Amino acid sequence: AQSVTQLGSHVSVSEGALVLLRCNYSSSVPPYLFWYVQYPNQGLQLLLKYTSAATLVKGINGFEAEFKKSETSFHLTKPSAHMSDAAEYFCAVSGSTGANNLFFGTGTRLTVIP
Amino acid sequence: SAVISQKPSRDICQRGTSLTIQCQVDSQVTMMFWYRQQPGQSLTLIATANQGSEATYESGFVIDKFPISRPNLTFSTLTVSNMSPEDSSIYLCSVGELYEQYFGPGTRLTVT
């Protein structure tokens, strides 16, 4: 079975500071991992995905995530936060069948302080 | 990537009534999914809808409460039946394309 744990339901950073959103996964099969962003009153947008290729994955809007099997982690980072990054971020995992059965974490709300 | 639209975008309904949510995709897709996002919560998969077959429901969700139709490869509907305030949520449809799922904008439902 697959599951994800997102540490920290709320994260606040200053504009220009490093963004670090934590995600740990549990999977009985090699996982596919995803980060989605949800802006207020909108649906989910895929930020990036790991599908067993390069362990460092670059996504849209300057975000990246590193798959660390030894730590069962897939933390999301961005070197310099922008006001427009304020949103809810969800980590998700699926099994080797692809993205057809996603399990989502509880989400982390990112606040960017000017 | 697929472009997905949902109707209505939001609605306020009386308890005991039903609401049908429509999901339209701009391309043909095999698998469509319906999720529920309760206030302040993450997404929970309600069911998977494949064209030409019955929807597959996750534990805790039943067809009588959430009937789903999938008449073709670009369209699906989810009905929330006999609503109660506990059904107040955002309902999202998504489509699966190999290693990615694309989500619609969601339908925000409030039941009074």
Side-chain angles (χ1 to χ4, degrees), chain A residues 32 34 36 38 41 43-44 46 49 90 99-100 102 104-106, chain B residues 31 33 35 37 42-43 45 92 98-101 103-105 108:
Chain A
Y32 295 153
F34 309 82
Y36 284 86
Q38 185 178 35
N41 300 314
L44 273 70
L46 180 66
K49 63 181 184 290
F90 293 95
N100 293 330
L102 288 178
F104 284 84
T106 51
Chain B
M31 304 189 74
F33 307 89
Y35 288 84
Q37 186 179 21
S42 186
L43 281 76
L45 181 64
L92 299 106
L98 194 57
Y99 299 116
E100 296 184 13
Q101 276 195 31
F103 285 81
R108 185 178 297 270

Side-chain angles (χ1 to χ4, degrees), chain A residues 28-49:
Chain A
S28 56
V29 297
Y32 295 153
L33 293 156
F34 309 82
W35 275 99
Y36 284 86
V37 60
Q38 185 178 35
Y39 298 103
N41 300 314
Q42 296 188 28
L44 273 70
Q45 180 181 5
L46 180 66
L47 269 179
L48 50 80
K49 63 181 184 290

Side-chain angles (χ1 to χ4, degrees), chain A:
Chain A
Q2 287 81 37
S3 67
V4 294
T5 301
Q6 291 184 242
L7 297 176
S9 59
H10 291 87
V11 171
S12 293
V13 300
S14 298
E15 189 174 16
L18 171 72
V19 176
L20 171 61
L21 305 182
R22 300 178 185 274
C23 173
N24 288 89
Y25 70 90
S26 173
S27 179
S28 56
V29 297
Y32 295 153
L33 293 156
F34 309 82
W35 275 99
Y36 284 86
V37 60
Q38 185 178 35
Y39 298 103
N41 300 314
Q42 296 188 28
L44 273 70
Q45 180 181 5
L46 180 66
L47 269 179
L48 50 80
K49 63 181 184 290
Y50 167 77
T51 56
S52 74
T55 57
L56 181 62
V57 180
K58 295 186 183 299
I60 61 172
N61 301 338
F63 284 93
E64 63 182 37
E66 185 172 8
F67 172 71
K68 292 187 177 180
K69 184 178 180 180
S70 61
E71 300 178 7
T72 61
S73 68
F74 191 58
H75 302 330
L76 182 70
T77 61
K78 182 174 181 179
S80 177
H82 192 273
M83 296 297 294
S84 61
D85 295 326
E88 188 90 19
Y89 291 80
F90 293 95
C91 182
V93 63
S94 71
S96 56
T97 55
N100 293 330
N101 200 4
L102 288 178
F103 296 89
F104 284 84
T106 51
T108 298
R109 181 170 298 277
L110 176 66
T111 300
V112 182
I113 303 167

Side-chain angles (χ1 to χ4, degrees), chain B:
Chain B
S1 63
V3 177
I4 304 165
S5 59
Q6 287 185 233
K7 290 182 181 179
S9 59
R10 59 177 62 226
D11 206 342
I12 301 172
C13 301
Q14 300 281 336
R15 70 174 66 206
T17 63
S18 298
L19 175 72
T20 295
I21 302 168
Q22 300 179 5
C23 179
Q24 180 76 52
V25 189
D26 69 342
S27 58
Q28 294 185 338
V29 294
T30 302
M31 304 189 74
M32 294 181 76
F33 307 89
W34 286 98
Y35 288 84
R36 181 175 72 181
Q37 186 179 21
Q38 294 178 299
Q41 308 275 329
S42 186
L43 281 76
T44 303
L45 181 64
I46 297 172
T48 302
N50 291 335
Q51 192 265 338
S53 63
E54 295 280 335
T56 302
Y57 289 83
E58 298 299 308
S59 176
F61 298 96
V62 295
I63 187 171
D64 290 346
K65 175 67 175 177
F66 297 101
I68 289 172
S69 77
R70 181 79 199 275
N72 57 53
L73 291 173
T74 63
F75 187 78
S76 178
T77 66
L78 169 75
T79 299
V80 186
S81 303
N82 188 24
M83 288 184 284
S84 66
E86 291 71 35
D87 294 320
S88 296
S89 295
I90 300 172
Y91 292 86
L92 299 106
C93 71
S94 74
V95 302
E97 292 183 353
L98 194 57
Y99 299 116
E100 296 184 13
Q101 276 195 31
Y102 300 98
F103 285 81
T107 295
R108 185 178 297 270
L109 171 62
T110 302
V111 183
T112 61

